[in-house]
Amino acid sequence: MKADKTRFAILGSGSAANGFIFEHNGFSILIDNGYTLTEFRRRMKQLDFEESGISFIFLTHHHSDHFKGVEALSHALNVPVVTHGGMPLEKHCKKQGLQRLDILPGKDYSFKGLEFRCFETSHDAHSSIGFHFSLGGQVFTLITDTGVISQEMADLAAKSDYLFLESNYSPEMLHNGPYPEFLKKRILSNKGHLSNLDAAVFMSKLSDADNPRLKKIFLCHLSEKNNTVEKVKEEVGRIYSGSIPYGICQRNDCLSQDKLIRSA
């Protein structure tokens, strides 16, 4: 009898490209793909995942670091893109006929042991969402590309075993960095991104809850220009002293489940 196994990995994370994969007994879903087909396959091979197991591509929003490789991969694997029903994907596609399955926030969905829902995120992309799902008895929540943490996000994160949480920028580095003022304002706004300090405050609230379920928090989506692993350690460590362990995901690295669990 085949062993019951759930595993996950990050193909890459950051402001350049993103991709997350989750698998249970050969059935897998991909969340976002900012990589070309060639690079996606190289990273899948490096992480020892088979693309033939992918049944769905979940998409958070249409910005290129999340969507760039989705269309080509959907056609190559003949699998649908699962995303918000209001997301105008066709405007960003190179071909016609993209398979899509439309979902809406606030509704629960299930397929072959996968149970999931999406929730709205506060970002400057039309119909931007995050995901909360259960696969093989493990519960995951992914919160990136949002300028605000909602009560729904907090409630879903608290019900998860693993949380993938944006820690996009250091306020100090952003303030002193090369970005023009309009772009700095965009990142700092409620439609922008979560800073290291935002992430730390949220982590503290989760850790203060009674009997937190969370086994680990993975801080991800670090900015190329406005953050470093060292800055995350410094700024998060200044605020967060909770009991939930966390790891920091280096930009663009392939990170297997074992590496993620061991990360600090």
Side-chain angles (χ1 to χ4, degrees):
M1 189 177 197
K2 190 174 181 179
D4 191 62
K5 184 177 181 181
T6 302
R7 62 184 184 133
F8 55 91
I10 296 180
L11 278 73
S13 176
S15 54
N18 297 273
F20 304 79
I21 189 162
F22 302 84
E23 179 188 86
H24 178 66
N25 290 349
F27 168 88
S28 57
I29 64 169
L30 182 73
I31 299 182
D32 293 338
N33 179 32
Y35 296 100
T36 65
L37 196 55
T38 299
E39 181 62 15
F40 167 81
R41 286 172 168 163
R42 186 189 73 79
R43 288 171 179 264
M44 286 282 285
K45 185 176 182 180
Q46 182 176 334
L47 291 165
D48 194 30
F49 280 86
E50 296 289 338
E51 66 178 55
S52 60
I54 297 175
S55 295
F56 302 102
I57 303 170
F58 283 55
L59 180 64
T60 59
H61 63 294
H62 59 71
H63 285 165
S64 63
D65 55 321
H66 299 261
F67 179 65
K68 179 181 178 181
V70 167
E71 182 186 5
L73 186 62
S74 174
H75 287 301
L77 300 183
N78 193 28
V79 298
V81 178
V82 180
T83 195
H84 193 298
M87 195 178 294
L89 283 188
E90 286 71 19
K91 291 182 179 180
H92 306 276
C93 289
K94 296 177 181 178
K95 300 179 181 178
Q96 291 185 341
L98 179 73
Q99 293 184 65
R100 61 182 289 173
L101 291 176
D102 291 345
I103 58 174
L104 293 173
K107 292 191 174 184
D108 295 319
Y109 300 88
S110 63
F111 181 82
K112 290 187 177 179
L114 169 69
E115 298 180 356
F116 67 95
R117 65 185 297 157
C118 69
F119 51 89
E120 293 179 344
T121 54
S122 181
H123 198 49
D124 58 352
H126 198 291
S127 301
S128 178
I129 53 176
F131 293 102
H132 172 80
F133 58 98
S134 173
L135 184 63
Q138 296 188 35
V139 183
F140 306 88
T141 297
L142 187 141
I143 303 172
T144 70
D145 298 84
T146 186
V148 174
I149 293 288
S150 68
Q151 187 59 51
E152 182 181 18
M153 293 177 193
D155 292 342
L156 294 174
K159 298 174 183 177
S160 306
D161 295 300
Y162 297 104
L163 170 63
F164 296 82
L165 177 64
E166 174 173 70
S167 190
N168 180 255
Y169 66 94
S170 157
E172 177 187 350
M173 288 184 68
L174 179 64
H175 176 73
N176 296 320
Y179 281 7
E181 196 61 29
F182 81 89
L183 188 50
K184 291 180 181 181
K185 288 181 178 179
R186 175 236 169 195
I187 293 168
L188 288 164
S189 77
N190 286 349
K191 294 286 188 178
H193 292 279
L194 297 177
S195 71
N196 298 337
L197 306 184
D198 294 328
V201 169
F202 182 45
M203 290 163 60
S204 296
K205 290 179 179 178
L206 290 171
S207 188
D208 288 342
D210 293 334
N211 301 314
R213 174 173 178 165
L214 277 165
K215 297 175 183 175
K216 192 151 189 178
I217 299 170
F218 307 115
L219 297 177
C220 57
H221 210 285
L222 276 63
S223 167
E224 297 271 346
K225 300 289 186 181
N226 302 306
N227 214 354
T228 64
V229 169
E230 291 70 29
K231 267 296 178 186
V232 178
K233 289 179 180 178
E234 174 194 333
E235 294 180 347
V236 170
R238 194 186 306 156
I239 295 174
Y240 179 72
S241 58
S243 59
I244 304 171
Y246 69 95
I248 304 168
C249 303
Q250 179 68 265
R251 288 186 302 266
N252 210 37
D253 275 4
C254 286
L255 297 168
S256 66
Q257 178 175 330
D258 288 343
K259 284 185 178 180
L260 287 165
I261 298 298
R262 293 197 308 265
S263 65

